[in-house]
Amino acid sequence: MDDLLAARSQMALSLGFHIIFACIGMVMPFFMATSHYKYLKTGEIVYKDLTKAWSRGVAIFFVTGAVSGTMLSFELGLLWPKFMLHAGPIFGMPFSLEGTAFFIEAIALGFYLYGWGKFKPWFHWATGVVVGISGLASGILVVAANGWMNSPTGFDFVNGEYLNIDPVKALFNEAWFSQALHMTLAAFAATGFAVAGIHAYLLLKGKNDVFHRKAFLIAISFGAVAAILQPLSGDISAKDIAVRQPAKLAAMEAHFETSKVAPLIIGGIPDEENETVNYAIKIPGALSFFAHGDFEAEVIGLDQFPKENHPPVMVTHFAFQIMVGLGMIMMGLSLLFFFSIWKRKSWQGSRWFLWLFALATPLGFIAVEAGWTVTEVGRQPWIIYEILKTKDALSPIPGIAYTFYLFTAIYLSLSLVVGFLLVRQIRSVPKASENISGISESQSTNS
């Protein structure tokens, strides 16, 4: 394995691992706060049990996310020193602000975990809300930094030098809003479906029916709303990419030749050598419409770019198809869920209904991984779009393959530890809730 492939593989592994914990860290605190709010309003002990169970899960993912995120920050400097040399002074602001949000999140989480019975109830609840808001802010700021890599701004590039640096303009680059919106909704959809799926499975196993049913309803409510809104954010992103990164859009759609009334390609196997797509379903004019809002608009193809600047079409196209396909499945399940609330509440207790959501547990995170593959692979060969190529930012130090093997072992170990902790956490669901979940604390005291 050569050093460039090893460095890119290490970053892919690190990002792919960290993004799961980042998504959960952005979203789970809102589930926790919602359950806590319901406990404060109703006094039902099941909501208190659920809040405490979820808060322990939030703590596990927070610690793991902190470790993997710290490793990522070191990797940026060690693997891509030329990138950090040029980019650091420009987009350092979002990383600095992200660090501030992270510390606020850590302090608020400490207050929340150890505040039971020590703070006034609504102040205690507010600390949980702060955990969610600061976690969400951290995610958005990191995505803003990635957006800058896709849409570099806030400086003048003159004779190989970065002049007139404006960190605020770099932070609010042209890509940050569409990427942040898309990523935030993806995080809510993925986490909502994952948490709901786990509780649906436990309902199928006959575990603590009331506890898991309430947990399922909270999680899927967040996830379903996000999944239904996600195609709208995807449309915003597609139109943005069509203008800013037409080569990425062309790779996503395996669109080799610039044309008007450009077809939308569903499925298919790209043949990069012959610049064709085999076994695809093509919808005439649909790509023109989704990219520019006009069925007859011209869509730029890969033929407008030198071949050495083409993104890897096969990987980008397949990842995009997976992301969209899974997103549509999740949207369909979301509509089914809301229909059940409206017309068929009895469905929610049916085994077929629960199995659908149990089987959908990993879909959101697979879609997230596929989406980040589109974002990162679709930008290649650039690490800073049209400014600095990935191969030119690589560290000259040899032996990067060995660090890739080392980090792979570390991440596998972390995965096993987190999996063990989560299984133990799920098994420790309070049994008392089965008997007193419908009784408020005040009722219990009076009896």
Side-chain angles (χ1 to χ4, degrees), residues 199-208 351 355:
H199 289 287
Y201 176 75
L202 293 171
L203 282 169
L204 287 164
K205 301 294 285 185
K207 303 285 188 181
N208 201 336
R351 293 186 65 82
W355 268 119

Coordinates of all heavy atoms in Angstrom, one line a residue, residues 199-208 351 355:
H199 N -35.3 -0.2 20.1 CA -36.5 -0.4 21.0 C -37.6 -1.2 20.3 O -38.3 -1.9 21.0 CB -37.0 1.0 21.4 CG -36.1 1.7 22.4 ND1 -35.9 1.3 23.7 CD2 -35.2 2.7 22.2 CE1 -35.0 2.1 24.3 NE2 -34.6 3.0 23.4
A200 N -37.8 -1.1 19.0 CA -38.7 -2.0 18.3 C -38.4 -3.4 18.4 O -39.2 -4.3 18.7 CB -38.8 -1.6 16.8
Y201 N -37.1 -3.7 18.3 CA -36.6 -5.1 18.4 C -36.8 -5.6 19.9 O -37.3 -6.8 20.1 CB -35.1 -5.2 18.1 CG -34.5 -6.5 18.3 CD1 -34.8 -7.6 17.4 CD2 -33.7 -6.8 19.4 CE1 -34.3 -8.9 17.6 CE2 -33.2 -8.1 19.6 CZ -33.5 -9.1 18.7 OH -33.0 -10.3 18.9
L202 N -36.6 -4.8 20.9 CA -36.8 -5.2 22.2 C -38.3 -5.4 22.5 O -38.6 -6.2 23.4 CB -36.2 -4.1 23.2 CG -34.6 -4.1 23.1 CD1 -34.1 -2.9 23.9 CD2 -34.0 -5.4 23.6
L203 N -39.1 -4.6 21.9 CA -40.6 -4.8 22.0 C -41.0 -6.2 21.4 O -41.8 -6.9 22.0 CB -41.3 -3.7 21.3 CG -41.5 -2.4 22.0 CD1 -42.0 -1.3 21.1 CD2 -42.4 -2.5 23.3
L204 N -40.3 -6.5 20.3 CA -40.6 -7.9 19.7 C -40.2 -9.0 20.6 O -40.7 -10.1 20.6 CB -39.9 -8.0 18.4 CG -40.5 -7.1 17.2 CD1 -39.5 -7.0 16.1 CD2 -41.8 -7.8 16.7
K205 N -39.1 -8.7 21.4 CA -38.6 -9.7 22.3 C -39.4 -9.7 23.6 O -39.1 -10.5 24.6 CB -37.1 -9.5 22.6 CG -36.2 -9.5 21.4 CD -36.1 -10.9 20.8 CE -35.3 -11.8 21.6 NZ -35.1 -13.1 20.9
G206 N -40.4 -8.9 23.8 CA -41.2 -8.8 25.0 C -40.5 -8.2 26.2 O -40.9 -8.5 27.3
K207 N -39.6 -7.3 25.9 CA -38.9 -6.6 27.0 C -39.6 -5.3 27.4 O -39.7 -4.4 26.6 CB -37.5 -6.3 26.5 CG -36.7 -7.5 26.0 CD -36.2 -8.3 27.2 CE -35.2 -9.4 26.7 NZ -34.8 -10.3 27.7
N208 N -40.0 -5.2 28.6 CA -40.5 -4.0 29.3 C -41.4 -3.2 28.3 O -40.9 -2.1 27.8 CB -39.3 -3.2 29.8 CG -39.8 -2.2 30.9 OD1 -40.9 -1.8 30.9 ND2 -38.8 -1.9 31.7
R351 N -46.6 -7.0 15.0 CA -45.2 -7.5 14.8 C -44.6 -7.1 13.4 O -43.4 -6.8 13.4 CB -45.2 -9.1 14.9 CG -45.5 -9.5 16.3 CD -45.3 -11.0 16.5 NE -43.9 -11.4 16.3 CZ -43.0 -11.4 17.3 NH1 -43.3 -10.9 18.5 NH2 -41.8 -11.8 17.0
W355 N -41.2 -5.1 13.1 CA -40.1 -5.7 12.3 C -39.6 -4.7 11.3 O -38.4 -4.7 11.0 CB -40.5 -7.0 11.7 CG -40.2 -8.2 12.6 CD1 -41.1 -9.1 13.1 CD2 -38.9 -8.7 13.0 NE1 -40.5 -10.0 13.9 CE2 -39.2 -9.8 13.8 CE3 -37.7 -8.2 12.8 CZ2 -38.1 -10.5 14.4 CZ3 -36.6 -8.9 13.4 CH2 -36.8 -10.0 14.2

